[in-house]
Amino acid sequence: MEMNVGGLNLHNTDLIITAGLPSQLIKDGIPQVAFSGRSNVGKSSLINCLLGRKKLARTSATPGKTITVNYYRVDKKMTLVDLPGYGYASRSHASKKQWSALTQGYFENNSALTLVAQLVDAKVGITKDDEEMINWLNYYNVPYVVVVTKCDKLNKTELSASAERILSCDLFRSQTACILFSSEKKLGREALWELILKNCFK
Ligand code: GTP
Ligand code: MG
């Protein structure tokens, strides 16, 4: 596992804050890359895969339990942001409100945000909640890339059909990039790092 990526020492990575309230969100000048997607889509697993760590970002068997924005600072030069998952049907009204306040607070006036990775499950495809999220990303005018997760669960034929279906969603801006990813197989790690570095340090 490559632990030096684009001059970043991945051994030097820490969870710096777990924000549960909008007032705890970080507004500093260090470039941020955020990971957005349904609960259980594989956000935390993907962050662990990128960072070459097994358990830095917590993955859960009970999806959508905690609604927090988790900031991972990488070698003091950039920050990977694990956004709270959405689409968890049995969530209470109060926790849905907390999700909205945090997510809105995150995207508003965040000039350090350089890229959002919008995760979509290869097997599930784009859900109604994903569509809502994509509308938010378009509204806030942030650059994004689509990352198709858990690609190891499909065979080649299924995977290309799935990726084609996902990319045909007409909400995506034209020329939206798409990366096929598997945290399990470490597929797509290099391609995603390349895009992240390009956006953070251009
Ligand atoms: P929340 O934190 O609840 O929003 O979920 P999350 O998006 O962070 O998902 P998480 O990374 O916790 O993964 C959810 C489940 O999917 C876990 O059981 C993971 O082991 C599994 N998973 C994640 N990535 C992959 C993958 O690449 N392949 C396979 N087969 N399973 C995966
Ligand atoms: Mg998670």
Side-chain angles (χ1 to χ4, degrees):
M1 174 76 50
E2 185 57 75
M3 291 300 280
N4 186 308
V5 180
L8 298 171
N9 174 11
L10 300 186
H11 291 292
N12 187 15
T13 305
D14 278 306
L15 171 64
I16 52 168
I17 187 169
T18 292
L21 296 169
S23 61
Q24 296 169 322
L25 294 165
I26 297 180
K27 302 285 174 182
D28 64 12
I30 297 179
Q32 295 181 11
V33 177
F35 298 84
S36 154
R38 282 172 47 245
S39 268
N40 202 47
V41 71
K43 296 176 295 298
S44 304
S45 303
L46 182 143
I47 289 172
N48 285 329
C49 175
L50 283 176
L51 295 175
R53 302 275 287 262
K54 281 217 165 70
K55 277 185 253 181
L56 187 64
R58 255 164 292 162
T59 59
S60 56
T62 45
K65 266 203 109 176
T66 53
I67 300 170
T68 55
V69 176
N70 297 344
Y71 293 83
Y72 298 90
R73 177 117 330 145
V74 184
D75 207 10
K76 300 192 178 119
K77 297 185 190 83
M78 67 174 305
T79 312
L80 302 186
V81 185
D82 197 354
L83 294 175
Y86 52 77
Y88 189 57
S90 60
R91 236 178 218 170
S92 68
H93 179 67
S95 67
K96 280 179 184 155
K97 269 180 85 170
Q98 191 198 355
W99 184 91
S100 300
L102 258 186
T103 307
Q104 195 170 332
Y106 180 76
F107 286 111
E108 260 167 21
N109 306 316
N110 192 351
S111 56
L113 180 58
T114 61
L115 182 68
V116 173
Q118 176 60 41
L119 276 55
V120 179
D121 190 310
K123 249 180 139 171
V124 177
I126 291 181
T127 66
K128 276 264 172 291
D129 298 300
D130 290 328
E131 291 182 349
E132 216 170 292
M133 191 67 223
I134 297 160
N135 281 329
W136 278 54
L137 297 177
N138 289 334
Y139 172 80
Y140 283 107
N141 208 23
V142 290
Y144 57 78
V145 53
V146 178
V147 178
V148 180
T149 63
K150 308 191 190 182
C151 287
D152 56 279
K153 287 188 168 184
L154 299 181
N155 69 33
K156 240 180 155 184
T157 317
E158 294 168 330
L159 187 55
S160 62
S162 165
E164 202 173 310
R165 209 175 320 114
I166 288 168
L167 269 180
S168 71
C169 170
D170 55 15
L171 294 176
F172 289 133
R173 290 183 203 120
S174 60
Q175 319 244 299
T176 294
C178 175
I179 291 175
L180 302 181
F181 207 94
S182 164
S183 300
E184 202 112 307
K185 297 265 184 280
K186 305 194 169 40
L187 171 80
R189 183 178 185 261
E190 253 177 70
L192 186 52
W193 261 124
E194 201 175 302
L195 205 68
I196 288 172
L197 294 169
K198 195 175 93 190
N199 276 270
C200 286
F201 307 115
K202 61 190 158 205

